[in-house]
Amino acid sequence: MEDPVVTSCTFPPREVGFYVTEADSDEEPEGTQQEYYVDMPDTDEELEGTHHTTEDTQPMELEGTQPTEDEPTEDPVFTSCTYEYEVDGPTSVRLTWTIENFSRLNAMGLYSGSFSLGRGYQWRLIMFPKGYKGDDHLWIYLDVADYSELPSGWIVDALFSISVFNHIQDEMTKKECYHKFNERESNWDFKFMPLIELNDPNRGFLVFDTIVVEATVTLCEMIDYDSKKETGYVRHYQAHGSQVIVRFRSLEKPSEDEFTLEFSKEDNYDKVIQSVARYLGLDDPLKIRLTSHNYFTQCPMLHPIKYRGVRHLLDMLIHHSQVSDILYYEVLDIQLPKLEDLKTLKVAFCPAKIGVTIYTITLTNQSTVMDVLDDLKTKVELSHPDAELRLLEIFCHKIRKIFPSQERIGTIDHHMTLRAEEIPEEEKNLGRHDRLIHACHFMHTTQNEALVTNFGEPFILVLHEGEILAEIKARIRKKLQVLDEEFLKWKFALVSRGYPKYLEDSDILSKCFEKSEVCSDWEQYLGMEHTDNNAPKCPNSSILNPSKLEKDKAP
């Protein structure tokens, strides 16, 4: 089934909610759709984490405001959505929701594609990109999409989180919750940052007018909150005051108790790792790394405890107000502070006539981009011994940044696609009025011809003073090695903030482009419109998506 289409409607005064429509299947005739009604809070004072009841909720009468096929009230909103299952079967899923052209969304609500998890449950995310009922924050729900089709009395326990990615700070703004979804409480929402902060490009949530949302959903068994046998959560504190007996398990054998140690709940981080190291007969306690226990899944937490990341033992044992008596340990090859000071980057490199290879480079956070490139030079075959390299950051098939050689790698977003390439000789001898521009492949979306979708590999192009488009097209065809017959079908445009302005062969491009620094986010680029059947490859850089490439070279 194709990604859902969301349309927004104008609602009568004092009403809240929105309709969304979804095609039933690929085989059904055009116009066959299902309608859902999403209830919204009755008051502005409702807090994040509140549920919204679906029982007895009836769709509103729109009195002529319902959009029709011929005269829609607003353009449809289309979103791309990918998800993948975790290792442990169909009980956990991670969903990445990428929404492009975010600032141009007109709908008051939109939702992601649905995914199956559990015994036939269909899940999805619902977003309010403009806030609602006067509230000026971003709201995102986790919703059981097929709640109305489930049998009476259904219930499913889930631990879930929703995060909005910050590209500048290289971190997620994350909300997490445990909830019993049922026929009365079929969705649960989180209130995120104010819209003014979300839409500020300097805050890092929107890059190239694109927002990335990630959700993880883990189904849990019904939990007896008072059961020591099932959870291990009967407190030793009640019997021993401030003392607690902790069961330690190897992270490699997370279901087996290995040994127990007694502590004060006020013991600090250093005291705990020293006691564990002493029991294990290790000389260096800094090689001990601990991981907390997940109360709901009865498994280790996904992320280990950072070195001195908590102050007291009690902080290691608490999860969602529940106190465990289990900790997991592992013995590292190097000291944990040194390990945490390391940064691992995956860098794609493609010399001429050789396939793309991904290289894993691990250096300290204080290392520079030049250190990364010097390390890469020892692993790759260059066109000549004196070849110079540069490092680029690619996002949504556009060049987001060319890294300065002295930038520290601790600031680099390791989620982004990184590409290293040789600097062409023509770029080293630029004329006084020559400049570098950003060139990208694009095509129009079939749903909205006003919007463009980028694909393939962006590249950097030298723009000479007074050069017309016809001359530039000849250089591009030679660079990309495109057949003449195919190249005649290409159209060229000046694309600014997602909108193309088509060019003629006689246009002088240097007069078309605004001045911009090469190391900044480029909102303006030379667009090459053509089909994406076989995206052409730039000879000195051929990276579409490193995660899909077969080769992965370790250091």
Side-chain angles (χ1 to χ4, degrees):
M1 183 178 68
E2 295 181 353
D3 286 340
V5 177
V6 181
T7 59
S8 69
C9 310
T10 303
F11 295 95
R14 305 181 63 84
E15 298 284 357
V16 292
F18 66 90
Y19 279 91
V20 292
T21 59
E22 177 180 359
D24 290 335
S25 70
D26 295 337
E27 291 74 28
E28 295 197 53
E30 184 176 354
T32 302
Q33 296 176 321
Q34 294 177 330
E35 285 190 350
Y36 303 93
Y37 177 74
V38 180
D39 192 24
M40 295 172 59
D42 293 332
T43 66
D44 292 331
E45 289 74 24
E46 287 197 81
L47 303 177
E48 63 178 86
T50 57
H51 69 270
H52 301 295
T53 304
T54 57
E55 182 176 322
D56 298 328
T57 301
Q58 297 297 325
M60 295 177 292
E61 296 296 334
L62 298 183
E63 299 180 356
T65 61
Q66 185 86 3
T68 66
E69 184 175 353
D70 296 327
E71 297 180 348
T73 57
E74 292 177 351
D75 291 335
V77 175
F78 299 90
T79 64
S80 61
C81 176
T82 59
Y83 61 92
E84 59 183 21
Y85 283 107
E86 298 288 347
V87 177
D88 189 22
T91 59
S92 182
V93 70
R94 182 173 66 251
L95 177 74
T96 300
W97 190 13
T98 301
I99 305 172
E100 299 181 354
N101 304 305
F102 186 81
S103 65
R104 298 202 292 273
L105 294 178
N106 293 321
M108 63 182 295
L110 59 151
Y111 61 91
S112 70
S114 60
F115 57 93
S116 179
L117 184 63
R119 300 175 180 176
Y121 299 105
Q122 295 295 315
W123 305 76
R124 65 185 174 189
L125 295 181
I126 302 176
M127 176 188 291
F128 292 93
K130 306 292 185 183
Y132 55 69
K133 201 182 178 184
D135 183 276
D136 60 351
H137 288 72
L138 176 72
W139 288 75
I140 306 177
Y141 289 71
L142 176 65
D143 177 59
V144 179
D146 60 343
Y147 71 89
S148 62
E149 302 174 5
L150 297 175
S152 177
W154 69 271
I155 184 171
V156 56
D157 293 56
L159 173 68
F160 68 97
S161 66
I162 301 176
S163 308
V164 180
F165 186 61
N166 187 308
H167 301 283
I168 293 178
Q169 299 178 6
D170 187 20
E171 64 180 19
M172 292 282 191
T173 297
K174 182 177 180 180
K175 307 278 188 175
E176 187 176 25
C177 181
Y178 167 79
H179 180 59
K180 289 180 178 291
F181 291 84
N182 55 68
E183 56 190 328
R184 289 185 57 85
E185 303 172 5
S186 64
N187 53 49
W188 199 268
D189 61 60
F190 288 127
K191 179 179 180 178
F192 283 86
M193 70 291 294
L195 297 179
I196 189 171
E197 178 179 336
L198 172 69
N199 291 289
D200 184 350
N202 296 320
R203 295 298 184 99
F205 296 108
L206 285 179
V207 175
F208 287 120
D209 204 20
T210 299
I211 186 173
V212 178
V213 176
E214 182 175 288
T216 59
V217 184
T218 301
L219 301 187
C220 310
E221 298 293 336
M222 296 294 184
I223 298 177
D224 181 355
Y225 293 95
D226 297 322
S227 171
K228 176 179 179 180
K229 178 179 180 181
E230 297 297 329
T231 68
Y233 280 81
V234 171
R235 292 312 110 234
H236 290 276
Y237 300 130
Q238 299 176 357
H240 301 286
S242 65
Q243 296 300 112
V244 55
I245 297 176
V246 179
R247 294 182 284 157
F248 286 89
R249 300 176 178 180
S250 169
L251 198 60
E252 297 179 352
K253 299 179 180 180
S255 61
E256 301 178 11
D257 292 346
E258 188 169 321
F259 60 91
T260 61
L261 295 174
E262 185 171 354
F263 299 94
S264 166
K265 63 182 180 182
E266 297 299 325
D267 282 344
N268 61 25
Y269 176 90
D270 289 349
K271 176 69 176 297
V272 175
I273 63 172
Q274 288 168 4
S275 298
V276 174
R278 188 181 306 113
Y279 180 89
L280 297 174
L282 297 177
D283 296 330
D284 190 352
L286 294 182
K287 291 185 177 180
I288 296 293
R289 181 164 65 178
L290 301 175
T291 300
S292 295
H293 184 64
N294 188 312
Y295 174 74
F296 301 110
T297 65
Q298 297 296 295
C299 297
M301 297 287 286
L302 293 177
H303 302 290
I305 299 171
K306 291 187 176 182
Y307 175 68
R308 292 181 176 172
V310 295
R311 296 184 61 184
H312 303 293
L313 171 66
L314 186 58
D315 299 321
M316 303 181 196
L317 301 177
I318 288 182
H319 180 228
H320 285 287
S321 302
Q322 302 294 331
V323 184
S324 171
D325 62 352
I326 299 172
L327 282 177
Y328 305 87
Y329 79 90
E330 55 186 320
V331 180
L332 306 174
D333 295 328
I334 63 175
Q335 292 181 337
L336 181 57
K338 293 182 178 180
L339 178 63
E340 291 179 347
D341 187 47
L342 296 178
K343 182 97 172 189
T344 298
L345 302 176
K346 290 187 179 295
V347 181
F349 182 77
C350 177
K353 300 180 181 180
I354 300 178
V356 177
T357 304
I358 307 297
Y359 293 89
T360 301
I361 298 176
T362 301
L363 298 170
T364 66
N365 283 304
Q366 300 305 311
S367 300
T368 64
V369 169
M370 181 60 70
D371 295 326
V372 173
L373 296 176
D374 287 343
D375 186 280
L376 185 63
K377 287 181 179 179
T378 66
K379 299 177 170 65
V380 303
E381 181 179 351
L382 302 176
S383 62
H384 58 89
D386 297 328
E388 297 180 31
L389 300 180
R390 63 184 169 206
L391 187 67
L392 300 85
E393 185 176 278
I394 311 298
F395 182 72
C396 288
H397 303 284
K398 295 189 284 287
I399 298 173
R400 183 191 180 201
K401 181 177 183 179
I402 302 176
F403 289 97
S405 61
Q406 295 306 313
E407 180 170 338
R408 298 189 186 279
I409 68 172
T411 65
I412 294 180
D413 178 358
H414 65 272
H415 293 88
M416 289 293 182
T417 300
L418 298 178
R419 185 176 80 197
E421 61 186 22
E422 291 189 19
I423 302 176
E425 290 298 321
E426 64 173 345
E427 294 185 21
K428 301 178 184 178
N429 301 294
L430 295 178
R432 181 179 179 182
H433 298 290
D434 294 341
R435 60 179 299 184
L436 301 179
I437 63 172
H438 179 188
C440 300
H441 307 276
F442 79 91
M443 60 183 176
H444 286 286
T445 63
T446 57
Q447 299 88 352
N448 190 334
E449 289 294 324
L451 303 179
V452 304
T453 298
N454 294 101
F455 64 90
E457 308 173 44
F459 57 91
I460 296 170
L461 189 68
V462 176
L463 180 60
H464 300 296
E465 181 183 13
E467 194 172 25
I468 63 174
L469 176 61
E471 296 170 327
I472 293 174
K473 287 169 61 176
R475 289 199 285 123
I476 290 176
R477 191 201 66 77
K478 181 178 179 181
K479 182 183 184 72
L480 300 182
Q481 302 175 4
V482 183
L483 296 176
D484 289 342
E485 181 180 355
E486 175 65 24
F487 196 70
L488 288 174
K489 302 176 184 177
W490 289 26
K491 297 179 181 179
F492 288 77
L494 176 66
V495 184
S496 181
R497 300 186 182 277
Y499 290 98
K501 179 181 179 182
Y502 288 93
L503 302 169
E504 300 293 337
D505 284 353
S506 59
D507 288 337
I508 300 175
L509 259 65
S510 58
K511 295 182 179 180
C512 299
F513 278 84
E514 300 173 353
K515 295 293 183 181
S516 65
E517 295 297 328
V518 72
C519 290
S520 64
D521 290 347
W522 295 346
E523 296 292 348
Q524 192 176 48
Y525 61 86
L526 177 63
M528 301 164 288
E529 182 184 2
H530 59 95
T531 58
D532 187 20
N533 296 330
N534 292 293
K537 299 181 179 180
C538 177
N540 63 349
S541 60
S542 297
I543 172 64
L544 291 174
N545 187 341
S547 64
K548 296 182 180 179
L549 300 175
E550 295 180 357
K551 296 184 180 180
D552 191 346
K553 295 291 186 180

